[in-house]
């Protein structure tokens, strides 16, 4: 594919704020019965009837949460939606609507924002959510994206972080660590590009983990799967900041301890081989990497036969009494205290 060296660049000032909003949102379709009025008025109108409404918001900032050196804008739009929908699914709820607000500097032409919103539109289509509003404004530096996600659930289906009990089993969906290792590959190739801009990276060996970083998928399927299996988790959280951080959240809010077994942590073979290449411990990657957007939850031991052998679910440990603390049980059968070493956007450099 030959790159267009002189792509069309339409200045955002040509449209103005309201013209920009109208242009970027004109092709979004309304599909949810709960959406009474979407984009185009002072506020959206939603009707959830007898359902409980679930709301979550995330802010993504250029240079903190993403790097446009290797993150295509279409992928960024898609990922920004996934980050928010994952929180809704972590409540055992159904995602229904989103609002999207952006602050953008004058270095971005209209065509760049069209790419961003194309990714948002694709996510809305594939996950059956309506985009019902938002805002645009200028930014003195870079790009900021704020998305609010809304969802619905029957009260009896909602799952919180604070319901785990001692002896409950700790379960994780999918596999862990891919997003972090994908980031390591992309960061390495970025440094190579700085030295030799003519270098074209071959990422074919890293397809899975690069996709886990650039185009993650929220686990929309899990609430439905659990309902089909007849399992209601006692607590649940999504894995955005690393496995250890999320386990500590569940344990702390539930007032329990936990034993996590190193040999039970699900790792994709590509994660293992890439960790070996980078000489990074794969268990540390799983514990501290983050951005996998899998779901971590606890279930009663009585429900174990219902999840046993399911390819989407892995039992990785169990909850204990609070006084026993939170530990990693290593392959050598030694106990190591779990510490939260995951992503912290507010840490000092």
């Amino acid at each position: 594919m030959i790159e267009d060296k002189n792509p069309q660049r339409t200045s955002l000032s040509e449209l103005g704020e309201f013209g920009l909003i109208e242009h970027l949102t004109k092709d979004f379709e309304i599909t949810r019965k709960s959406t009474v009025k979407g984009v185009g008025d002072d506020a959206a109108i939603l009707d959830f009837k007898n359902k409980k409404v679930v709301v979550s918001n995330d802010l993504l900032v250029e240079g903190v949460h993403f790097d446009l050196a290797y993150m295509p804008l279409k992928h960024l739009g898609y990922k920004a939606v996934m980050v928010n929908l994952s929180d809704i699914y972590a409540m055992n709820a159904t995602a229904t609507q989103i609002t999207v607000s952006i602050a953008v500097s004058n270095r971005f032409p209209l065509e760049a924002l069209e790419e961003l919103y194309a990714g948002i539109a694709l996510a809305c289509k594939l996950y059956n959510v309506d985009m019902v509003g938002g805002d645009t404004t200028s930014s003195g530096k870079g790009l900021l994206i704020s998305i609010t996600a809304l969802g619905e659930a029957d009260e009896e289906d909602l799952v919180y972080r604070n319901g785990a009990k001692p002896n409950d089993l700790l379960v994780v969906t999918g596999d862990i660590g891919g997003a972090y290792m994908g980031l390591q590959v992309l960061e390495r190739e970025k440094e190579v590009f700085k030295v030799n801009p003519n270098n074209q990276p071959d990422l074919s060996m890293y397809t899975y983990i690069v996709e886990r970083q650039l185009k993650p998928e929220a686990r929309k399927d899990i609430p439905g799967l659990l309902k089909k299996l007849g399992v209601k988790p006692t607590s649940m959280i999504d894995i955005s900041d690393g496995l250890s951080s999320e386990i500590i959240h569940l344990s702390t809010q539930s007032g329990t301890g936990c034993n996590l077994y190193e040999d039970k942590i699900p790792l994709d073979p590509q994660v293992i081989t890439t960790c070996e290449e980078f000489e990074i411990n794969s268990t540390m990657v799983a514990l501290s990497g983050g951005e996998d957007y899998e779901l971590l939850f606890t279930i009663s031991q009585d429900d174990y036969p219902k999840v046993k052998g399911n390819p989407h679910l892995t039992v990785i440990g169990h909850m204990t009494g609070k006084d026993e603390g939170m530990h990693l049980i290593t392959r050598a059968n030694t106990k190591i205290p779990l510490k939260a070493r995951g992503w912290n956007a507010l840490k000092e450099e």
Side-chain angles (χ1 to χ4, degrees), residues 64-65 176-177 180 183-184 237-249 283-293 337-349:
V64 177
H65 301 100
I176 307 298
Y180 180 80
L183 179 63
Q184 302 314 299
I237 193 172
D238 80 320
I239 303 175
S240 55
D241 299 329
L243 185 59
S244 60
S245 294
E246 314 304 1
I247 290 175
I248 290 171
H249 283 311
T283 299
M284 290 305 299
V285 166
L287 292 178
S288 306
E291 288 201 297
D292 290 304
Y293 300 107
L338 271 181
K339 294 184 179 179
R341 293 194 177 93
W343 165 250
N344 179 6
L346 300 179
K347 71 179 180 180
E348 296 181 3
E349 295 298 334

Side-chain angles (χ1 to χ4, degrees), residues 55-77:
V55 183
S56 182
N57 178 268
D58 269 292
L59 176 65
L60 302 181
V61 179
E62 183 179 357
V64 177
H65 301 100
F66 59 88
D67 187 338
L68 292 178
Y70 48 72
M71 170 66 81
L73 284 164
K74 188 172 183 179
H75 287 69
L76 176 61

Side-chain angles (χ1 to χ4, degrees), residues 6 15 17 37 40 44 104 114 212 249 302 318 323 329:
N6 297 291
L15 287 87
E17 181 183 355
K37 176 67 178 177
V104 60
E114 286 175 340
R212 291 284 278 180
H249 283 311
D302 294 339
H318 64 269
D323 57 347
I329 311 301

Side-chain angles (χ1 to χ4, degrees), residues 202-318:
D202 180 9
L203 301 179
S204 58
M205 291 172 54
Y206 311 103
T207 304
Y208 177 70
I209 59 175
V210 168
E211 184 168 334
R212 291 284 278 180
Q213 172 58 220
L214 297 183
K215 189 177 174 289
E217 302 292 345
R219 295 309 302 255
K220 175 187 177 183
D221 58 318
I222 296 302
L225 172 64
L226 293 174
K227 197 156 197 173
K228 184 178 178 182
L229 294 174
V231 175
K232 182 185 176 183
T234 53
S235 67
M236 185 150 63
I237 193 172
D238 80 320
I239 303 175
S240 55
D241 299 329
L243 185 59
S244 60
S245 294
E246 314 304 1
I247 290 175
I248 290 171
H249 283 311
L250 289 187
S251 298
T252 301
Q253 295 200 25
S254 296
T256 67
C258 180
N259 284 334
L260 166 68
Y261 291 86
E262 182 181 20
D263 62 349
K264 301 296 184 184
I265 299 173
L267 300 170
D268 186 86
Q270 198 169 104
V271 172
I272 296 171
T273 57
T274 310
C275 284
E276 291 172 351
E277 178 186 347
F278 279 74
E279 297 183 347
I280 301 175
N281 182 282
S282 59
T283 299
M284 290 305 299
V285 166
L287 292 178
S288 306
E291 288 201 297
D292 290 304
Y293 300 107
E294 296 291 345
L295 296 179
L296 176 75
F297 58 93
T298 54
I299 62 172
S300 166
Q301 287 202 25
D302 294 339
D303 286 331
Y304 176 67
K306 300 175 185 177
V307 304
K308 182 182 179 182
N310 190 291
H312 299 283
L313 309 174
T314 305
V315 176
I316 58 173
H318 64 269

Side-chain angles (χ1 to χ4, degrees), residues 163-169 254-257 301 318-322 324:
K165 302 286 190 296
N167 299 318
D168 281 355
L169 300 178
S254 296
T256 67
Q301 287 202 25
H318 64 269
M319 312 309 278
T320 64
K322 183 178 180 179
E324 294 185 46

Side-chain angles (χ1 to χ4, degrees), residues 110-128:
L110 174 63
E111 289 73 20
L113 297 192
E114 286 175 340
E115 279 291 294
L116 179 72
Y117 272 71
I120 293 170
L122 179 61
C124 287
K125 180 179 180 181
L126 294 181
Y127 282 75
N128 191 23

